[in-house]
Amino acid sequence: MTVVDLPPPLPVRDKATAVERAWGGVSPMLTRLAAERATGVLVREGGALHLDGGLVTYAESPLALGLDALLTAHGTVRGEVWREALSRADEHRGVARFLLSGGHLAEGALQLCHLAALYDAAYFALAPSSTPGRFRYGVGHRLGAVVPVPVAALERETLRRRDLLHRIWPDPRPDQAPLVRTRTAAAPRLTGRQQSLLDRIDGTRTAADLARELGRQAFHTLVDVRRLAAAGLIAPRPSPEPPSPPTGPGLGLGPGAGAGAGPAVPGPAPGSAPTAPGAASAAYGVPGVVPPPPGAAGLPPPGLADPPPPDIAERLAHTTDPHITLLKRLRDALEAL
């Protein structure tokens, strides 16, 4: 069984990297599983890592292409050959053994593609997570062991890739947001890979979408995306701005209320005596706003209502923008009664 290691770790470049290493690497749980020589699958927010005897044999992430996609995207292995190998794989002979024994792929090519897919998906699987990981013991991957990788080597490579992206362009937003093209006075000369990416950026595709469409490794696509961002050629698509509130007397809150319609405040109940606006407004502590009719929503008549609590009344008294916040604060005051 071949084990691939990497060069010595890079020097610590920033405080975040130092903290990660001081706490036991990128994933303390993964480090502990490696020390236990565990076999199974570690499921994290960004993907999954398959272990055999404490070594990582495969990685998966929804943001990265799997080995099947990398092999079939450019015709290295025909799709029907991969599907046949997948259907015949079992716990003793994985997909890799069928591909090699059938002469569909050279061993060196399989190992290179396997390592490319493993490191690519592991970068996303080992991303900082807001949820704890879960490990299932004894779960093997159908691919089988091709080139197992030590956990320490995988973590060093993940840190190296994070550092590389940060040095190219420190803003991580282009990694996940839909991308748009921008205008620049002097565009640099682009490589063929970068130009093919730029040609497909339309405001809807993310870096992961572009990688899948082009059949490329997701991390290498991120490198090109950040270089294009650093050159001023692309940027994350701006978030849509919320609609501006009306500035006229009409707030458009009721059904069918138009731009010039007044506030959607219920009128008096049929047959009830009209209420003087001044008295009604004074009962709720909000000048110029007519309250709901007597008995609406279980409320007592305005003349019998208790005054709002002091904190609510104080907030309402300091309202400075009646066109935007007045009804919201009135709602809060009514709910607090």
Side-chain angles (χ1 to χ4, degrees):
M1 180 181 293
T2 306
V3 176
V4 174
D5 207 334
L6 292 177
L10 295 172
V12 177
R13 294 180 178 272
D14 53 43
K15 185 177 180 180
T17 303
V19 171
E20 283 179 325
R21 293 181 181 176
W23 283 91
V26 177
S27 170
M29 184 176 185
L30 182 60
T31 303
R32 185 170 65 252
L33 292 170
E36 296 175 3
R37 299 183 180 275
T39 296
V41 56
L42 173 62
V43 180
R44 290 171 52 90
E45 187 176 20
L49 299 168
H50 295 264
L51 286 80
D52 186 357
L55 301 175
V56 180
T57 58
Y58 194 62
E60 298 170 293
S61 172
L63 297 176
L65 295 183
L67 178 61
D68 55 340
L70 290 179
L71 289 176
T72 59
H74 304 288
T76 305
V77 173
R78 298 195 310 274
E80 57 271 21
V81 171
W82 177 269
R83 288 189 291 271
E84 179 185 3
L86 190 63
S87 65
R88 298 174 61 188
D90 53 35
E91 60 182 2
H92 302 292
R93 298 189 64 190
V95 174
R97 291 298 99 193
F98 281 105
L99 293 176
L100 295 177
S101 61
H104 302 291
L105 195 63
E107 185 172 4
L110 176 62
Q111 291 178 353
L112 288 175
C113 291
H114 167 259
L115 287 174
L118 190 156
Y119 280 112
D120 200 33
Y123 172 80
F124 300 99
L126 291 175
S129 173
S130 59
T131 59
R134 305 183 311 276
F135 188 73
R136 297 199 301 267
Y137 285 90
V139 180
H141 194 271
R142 301 186 71 181
L143 176 65
V146 180
V147 186
V149 177
V151 166
L154 190 64
E155 292 189 334
R156 287 201 302 268
E157 175 62 11
T158 299
L159 291 174
R160 186 193 71 82
R161 294 188 177 202
R162 290 183 191 176
D163 181 72
L164 173 62
L165 290 181
H166 183 79
R167 285 187 283 113
I168 294 173
W169 185 245
D171 185 358
R173 291 178 301 164
D175 294 358
Q176 298 183 1
L179 301 170
V180 295
R181 300 180 64 164
T182 58
R183 297 180 180 179
T184 182
R189 176 178 294 181
L190 302 179
T191 65
R193 288 177 55 90
Q194 294 170 347
Q195 187 64 54
S196 62
L197 276 177
L198 190 62
D199 292 341
R200 288 169 171 80
I201 291 176
D202 58 358
T204 63
R205 294 181 174 95
T206 63
D209 297 331
L210 295 169
R212 280 190 291 268
E213 185 173 326
L214 295 169
R216 296 178 181 174
Q217 296 177 47
F219 175 78
H220 292 176
T221 303
L222 289 185
V223 170
D224 289 329
V225 163
R226 291 224 191 177
R227 284 176 175 159
L228 291 173
L233 297 174
I234 65 173
R237 186 182 68 191
S239 301
E241 297 182 0
S244 301
T247 56
L251 299 182
L253 299 179
V265 179
S272 61
T275 305
S281 301
Y284 281 83
V286 184
V289 176
V290 179
L299 296 176
L304 301 179
D306 294 329
D311 57 332
I312 301 295
E314 182 180 355
R315 285 190 293 161
L316 293 176
H318 290 83
T319 299
T320 59
D321 192 348
H323 298 300
I324 298 176
T325 60
L326 186 56
L327 291 184
K328 289 184 178 180
R329 295 187 177 183
L330 175 60
R331 177 201 60 194
D332 295 339
L334 295 177
E335 291 177 350
L337 292 176

